[in-house]
Protein backbone atom coordinates (compact mmCIF):
# COMPACT_ATOMS: atom_id res chain seq x y z
CA UNK A 1 0.00 0.00 0.00
CA UNK A 2 1.27 3.44 -0.91
CA UNK A 3 1.19 6.31 1.59
CA UNK A 4 -0.51 9.61 0.89
CA UNK A 5 1.71 12.69 0.64
CA UNK A 6 1.50 16.39 1.24
CA UNK A 7 4.05 18.23 -0.89
CA UNK A 8 4.71 21.95 -0.69
CA UNK A 9 5.04 23.13 -4.28
CA UNK A 10 6.75 26.42 -3.42
CA UNK A 11 7.03 29.05 -6.14
CA UNK A 12 6.50 28.14 -9.81
CA UNK A 13 10.28 28.34 -10.26
CA UNK A 14 10.65 25.20 -8.11
CA UNK A 15 10.46 23.18 -11.33
CA UNK A 16 13.78 24.58 -12.55
CA UNK A 17 15.56 25.07 -9.22
CA UNK A 18 18.35 22.93 -7.79
CA UNK A 19 18.63 22.73 -4.01
CA UNK A 20 18.11 20.38 -1.08
CA UNK A 21 14.33 20.26 -1.48
CA UNK A 22 14.33 19.39 -5.17
CA UNK A 23 16.95 16.72 -4.51
CA UNK A 24 14.75 15.39 -1.71
CA UNK A 25 11.74 15.14 -4.04
CA UNK A 26 13.78 13.10 -6.52
CA UNK A 27 14.93 10.73 -3.76
CA UNK A 28 11.40 10.42 -2.43
CA UNK A 29 10.04 9.30 -5.79
CA UNK A 30 12.79 6.70 -6.14
CA UNK A 31 12.11 5.38 -2.64
CA UNK A 32 8.46 4.61 -3.44
CA UNK A 33 7.12 1.83 -5.67
CA UNK A 34 6.14 3.27 -9.02
CA UNK A 35 2.46 4.24 -8.75
CA UNK A 36 -0.07 2.98 -11.25
CA UNK A 37 -1.53 6.48 -11.23
CA UNK A 38 -1.40 9.75 -9.29
CA UNK A 39 -4.35 11.64 -7.82
CA UNK A 40 -3.28 15.18 -7.01
CA UNK A 41 -5.26 17.89 -5.20
CA UNK A 42 -3.92 21.26 -6.30
CA UNK A 43 -4.22 24.49 -4.33
CA UNK A 44 -4.39 26.27 -7.68
CA UNK A 45 -7.68 24.72 -8.72
CA UNK A 46 -10.49 26.22 -6.64
CA UNK A 47 -14.15 25.35 -7.10
CA UNK A 48 -17.44 25.46 -5.23
CA UNK A 49 -17.99 21.74 -5.77
CA UNK A 50 -15.38 18.99 -5.83
CA UNK A 51 -14.06 18.70 -9.39
CA UNK A 52 -12.34 15.67 -10.91
CA UNK A 53 -10.24 16.09 -14.03
CA UNK A 54 -11.30 13.84 -16.89
CA UNK A 55 -9.11 15.17 -19.70
CA UNK A 56 -7.34 12.38 -21.58
CA UNK A 57 -4.46 14.65 -22.60
CA UNK A 58 -4.51 17.58 -20.14
CA UNK A 59 -2.94 20.79 -21.39
CA UNK A 60 -0.29 22.78 -19.56
CA UNK A 61 -1.54 25.74 -17.54
CA UNK A 62 0.96 28.54 -16.91
CA UNK A 63 -0.99 30.12 -14.06
CA UNK A 64 1.62 32.70 -13.05
CA UNK A 65 3.47 35.68 -14.47
CA UNK A 66 6.80 37.44 -14.12
CA UNK A 67 9.00 34.35 -14.01
CA UNK A 68 11.83 33.09 -16.20
CA UNK A 69 11.01 32.31 -19.83
CA UNK A 70 12.23 28.75 -19.19
CA UNK A 71 9.11 28.09 -17.13
CA UNK A 72 6.79 29.00 -20.00
CA UNK A 73 8.61 26.47 -22.18
CA UNK A 74 8.04 23.67 -19.68
CA UNK A 75 6.00 20.69 -20.83
CA UNK A 76 4.71 17.85 -18.70
CA UNK A 77 2.77 15.60 -21.03
CA UNK A 78 1.22 13.17 -18.58
CA UNK A 79 -1.97 11.43 -19.67
CA UNK A 80 -5.21 11.43 -17.74
CA UNK A 81 -7.03 8.27 -16.66
CA UNK A 82 -10.77 8.38 -17.29
CA UNK A 83 -11.37 5.00 -15.65
CA UNK A 84 -9.74 6.27 -12.46
CA UNK A 85 -11.67 9.55 -12.67
CA UNK A 86 -14.93 7.61 -12.79
CA UNK A 87 -13.80 5.42 -9.90
CA UNK A 88 -13.04 8.53 -7.83
CA UNK A 89 -16.49 9.90 -8.64
CA UNK A 90 -18.04 6.65 -7.41
CA UNK A 91 -16.04 6.66 -4.16
CA UNK A 92 -17.01 10.24 -3.38
CA UNK A 93 -20.66 9.75 -4.18
CA UNK A 94 -20.79 6.66 -1.97
CA UNK A 95 -19.87 8.98 0.92
CA UNK A 96 -22.43 11.58 -0.06
CA UNK A 97 -19.80 13.99 -1.37
CA UNK A 98 -21.02 16.00 -4.34
CA UNK A 99 -18.59 16.05 -7.23
CA UNK A 100 -18.39 16.81 -10.94
CA UNK A 101 -16.19 15.69 -13.80
CA UNK A 102 -14.23 18.28 -15.78
CA UNK A 103 -12.82 17.18 -19.15
CA UNK A 104 -11.22 20.55 -19.95
CA UNK A 105 -9.02 21.26 -16.95
CA UNK A 106 -5.28 21.12 -17.62
CA UNK A 107 -2.30 20.73 -15.30
CA UNK A 108 -1.49 23.86 -13.27
CA UNK A 109 1.91 24.45 -11.68
CA UNK A 110 0.71 22.99 -8.40
CA UNK A 111 0.60 19.71 -10.30
CA UNK A 112 3.33 19.81 -12.94
CA UNK A 113 5.79 21.70 -10.72
CA UNK A 114 6.51 18.92 -8.20
CA UNK A 115 5.65 16.07 -10.60
CA UNK A 116 8.20 17.26 -13.17
CA UNK A 117 10.85 16.82 -10.47
CA UNK A 118 9.61 13.53 -9.04
CA UNK A 119 8.52 11.77 -12.24
CA UNK A 120 10.15 13.73 -15.09
CA UNK A 121 9.30 11.20 -17.81
CA UNK A 122 5.55 11.90 -17.27
CA UNK A 123 4.64 8.25 -17.89
CA UNK A 124 2.35 7.93 -14.87
CA UNK A 125 -1.30 8.94 -15.49
CA UNK A 126 -2.42 11.93 -13.44
CA UNK A 127 -5.91 12.85 -12.27
CA UNK A 128 -6.05 16.31 -10.71
CA UNK A 129 -8.63 17.40 -8.15
CA UNK A 130 -9.88 20.80 -7.08
CA UNK A 131 -10.15 22.25 -3.58
CA UNK A 132 -13.15 24.09 -2.14
CA UNK A 133 -12.07 26.89 0.25
CA UNK A 134 -15.64 27.29 1.51
CA UNK A 135 -15.81 23.86 3.14
CA UNK A 136 -15.09 23.30 6.82
CA UNK A 137 -11.78 21.63 7.65
CA UNK A 138 -13.44 18.36 8.65
CA UNK A 139 -15.02 18.11 5.19
CA UNK A 140 -11.60 18.19 3.54
CA UNK A 141 -10.46 15.37 5.81
CA UNK A 142 -13.60 13.45 4.86
CA UNK A 143 -12.84 13.85 1.15
CA UNK A 144 -9.38 12.42 1.70
CA UNK A 145 -10.75 9.53 3.76
CA UNK A 146 -13.25 8.70 1.00
CA UNK A 147 -10.34 8.11 -1.38
CA UNK A 148 -8.01 6.38 1.06
CA UNK A 149 -8.77 2.95 -0.42
CA UNK A 150 -7.03 4.02 -3.63
CA UNK A 151 -3.74 3.59 -1.77
CA UNK A 152 -4.37 -0.17 -1.79
CA UNK A 153 -4.67 0.01 -5.57
CA UNK A 154 -1.16 1.51 -5.89
CA UNK A 155 -2.54 4.98 -6.56
CA UNK A 156 -0.46 7.76 -5.05
CA UNK A 157 -2.57 10.49 -3.44
CA UNK A 158 -0.82 13.86 -3.24
CA UNK A 159 -1.96 17.12 -1.72
CA UNK A 160 0.01 19.98 -3.32
CA UNK A 161 0.00 23.32 -1.53
CA UNK A 162 1.87 25.01 1.31
CA UNK A 163 1.53 25.18 5.08
CA UNK A 164 2.94 28.70 5.51
CA UNK A 165 1.97 30.54 2.34
CA UNK A 166 1.69 34.32 2.53
CA UNK A 167 2.97 36.01 -0.60
CA UNK A 168 2.87 39.44 1.05
CA UNK A 169 5.36 38.30 3.69
CA UNK A 170 8.02 36.87 1.38
CA UNK A 171 11.46 38.41 1.87
CA UNK A 172 14.00 37.70 -0.86
CA UNK A 173 16.71 39.43 1.20
CA UNK A 174 16.29 37.22 4.27
CA UNK A 175 17.48 33.60 4.15
CA UNK A 176 16.59 33.10 7.83
CA UNK A 177 13.02 31.86 8.41
CA UNK A 178 10.79 34.18 10.38
CA UNK A 179 9.98 33.04 13.94
CA UNK A 180 6.21 33.21 13.43
CA UNK A 181 6.44 30.93 10.40
CA UNK A 182 8.59 28.43 12.29
CA UNK A 183 6.24 28.43 15.27
CA UNK A 184 3.20 27.79 13.09
CA UNK A 185 4.85 24.79 11.39
CA UNK A 186 6.03 23.46 14.75
CA UNK A 187 2.47 23.61 16.13
CA UNK A 188 1.18 21.89 13.02
CA UNK A 189 3.79 19.13 13.28
CA UNK A 190 2.74 18.36 16.84
CA UNK A 191 -0.92 18.01 15.85
CA UNK A 192 -0.14 15.80 12.86
CA UNK A 193 2.30 13.53 14.67
CA UNK A 194 -0.14 12.97 17.55
CA UNK A 195 -3.08 12.67 15.12
CA UNK A 196 -4.93 15.42 17.00
CA UNK A 197 -7.89 15.74 14.66
CA UNK A 198 -9.85 18.15 16.85
CA UNK A 199 -7.00 20.65 16.89
CA UNK A 200 -6.48 20.33 13.14
CA UNK A 201 -10.08 21.03 12.26
CA UNK A 202 -9.88 24.12 14.46
CA UNK A 203 -6.47 25.23 13.21
CA UNK A 204 -7.89 28.61 12.29
CA UNK A 205 -8.68 29.20 15.98
CA UNK A 206 -5.87 27.35 17.75
CA UNK A 207 -2.71 27.63 15.66
CA UNK A 208 -0.24 30.39 16.55
CA UNK A 209 0.13 33.15 13.94
CA UNK A 210 -2.51 31.47 11.76
CA UNK A 211 -3.57 34.79 10.24
CA UNK A 212 -0.05 35.30 8.94
CA UNK A 213 0.67 31.70 7.98
CA UNK A 214 -2.69 30.90 6.35
CA UNK A 215 -4.25 34.19 5.19
CA UNK A 216 -6.40 32.18 2.76
CA UNK A 217 -7.06 28.44 3.06
CA UNK A 218 -6.55 27.05 -0.44
CA UNK A 219 -2.89 26.10 0.08
CA UNK A 220 -3.57 24.51 3.47
CA UNK A 221 -6.50 22.38 2.29
CA UNK A 222 -4.39 19.81 0.37
CA UNK A 223 -2.64 18.94 3.65
CA UNK A 224 -5.97 18.14 5.31
CA UNK A 225 -7.00 15.97 2.35
CA UNK A 226 -3.73 14.01 2.35
CA UNK A 227 -4.09 13.61 6.12
CA UNK A 228 -7.61 12.25 5.64
CA UNK A 229 -6.41 9.77 3.03
CA UNK A 230 -4.05 8.34 5.67
CA UNK A 231 -6.75 8.01 8.33
CA UNK A 232 -6.63 4.20 8.36
CA UNK A 233 -3.00 4.21 9.50
CA UNK A 234 -3.05 7.23 11.83
CA UNK A 235 0.65 7.67 11.16
CA UNK A 236 2.25 10.96 10.11
CA UNK A 237 5.92 11.52 9.33
CA UNK A 238 7.66 14.75 8.41
CA UNK A 239 10.12 13.91 5.64
CA UNK A 240 11.50 17.34 4.79
CA UNK A 241 11.24 20.85 6.19
CA UNK A 242 12.95 24.01 5.03
CA UNK A 243 12.07 27.60 4.16
CA UNK A 244 12.60 29.90 1.20
CA UNK A 245 12.33 33.68 1.10
CA UNK A 246 12.02 33.99 4.87
CA UNK A 247 8.51 32.57 5.18
CA UNK A 248 7.71 30.16 2.34
CA UNK A 249 7.52 26.71 3.95
CA UNK A 250 8.83 23.77 1.92
CA UNK A 251 7.71 20.67 3.73
CA UNK A 252 6.68 17.16 2.86
CA UNK A 253 4.50 14.95 5.03
CA UNK A 254 3.88 11.23 4.60
CA UNK A 255 0.68 9.69 5.94
CA UNK A 256 0.54 5.92 6.29
CA UNK A 257 3.21 3.42 7.17
CA UNK A 258 5.39 2.49 4.26
CA UNK A 259 9.03 2.11 5.19
CA UNK A 260 11.60 4.15 6.99
CA UNK A 261 12.52 7.28 5.06
CA UNK A 262 15.10 9.44 6.74
CA UNK A 263 14.12 13.08 7.15
CA UNK A 264 16.00 15.37 4.79
Amino acid sequence: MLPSLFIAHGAPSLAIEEHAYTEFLRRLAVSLPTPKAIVLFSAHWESDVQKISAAIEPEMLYDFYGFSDDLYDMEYLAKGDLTLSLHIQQLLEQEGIRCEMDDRRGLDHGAWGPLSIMYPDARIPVVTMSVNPRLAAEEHIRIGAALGSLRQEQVLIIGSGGTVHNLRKLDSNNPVPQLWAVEFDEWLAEQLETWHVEALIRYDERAPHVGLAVPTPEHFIPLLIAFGAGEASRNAKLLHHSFQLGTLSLCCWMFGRFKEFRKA
Side-chain angles (χ1 to χ4, degrees), residues 16-80:
I16 57 174
E17 293 172 356
E18 291 289 341
H19 45 63
Y21 185 54
T22 56
E23 176 57 28
F24 157 77
L25 291 175
R26 293 188 188 97
R27 290 195 301 109
L28 174 61
V30 171
S31 77
L32 297 170
T34 302
K36 291 182 180 178
I38 295 169
V39 173
L40 186 144
F41 289 82
S42 174
H44 289 271
W45 185 10
E46 298 181 45
S47 64
D48 290 333
V49 61
Q50 180 62 62
K51 295 292 186 76
I52 307 164
S53 70
I56 302 303
E57 296 184 352
E59 298 179 351
M60 292 283 289
L61 298 179
Y62 304 97
D63 51 334
F64 48 83
Y65 62 90
F67 286 86
S68 165
D69 290 345
D70 293 348
L71 280 175
Y72 301 95
D73 294 331
M74 285 280 297
E75 288 190 335
Y76 192 76
L77 304 179
K79 303 291 187 182

Side-chain angles (χ1 to χ4, degrees), residues 7-12 14-15 21 25 38-45 53 58-64 71 74-79 105-120 122 124-131 156 158-162 219 222:
I7 296 174
H9 61 242
L14 181 76
Y21 185 54
L25 291 175
I38 295 169
V39 173
L40 186 144
F41 289 82
S42 174
H44 289 271
W45 185 10
S53 70
E59 298 179 351
M60 292 283 289
L61 298 179
Y62 304 97
D63 51 334
F64 48 83
L71 280 175
M74 285 280 297
E75 288 190 335
Y76 192 76
L77 304 179
K79 303 291 187 182
R105 177 72 182 188
L107 298 177
D108 59 56
H109 82 268
W112 59 258
L115 292 182
S116 66
I117 299 168
M118 297 175 69
Y119 302 105
I124 301 171
V126 177
V127 174
T128 53
M129 307 282 290
S130 68
V131 298
L156 182 61
I158 297 176
S160 173
H219 277 75

Side-chain angles (χ1 to χ4, degrees), residues 149-162:
S149 63
L150 293 175
R151 295 169 49 215
Q152 299 177 9
E153 303 173 30
Q154 291 302 101
V155 174
L156 182 61
I157 300 173
I158 297 176
S160 173

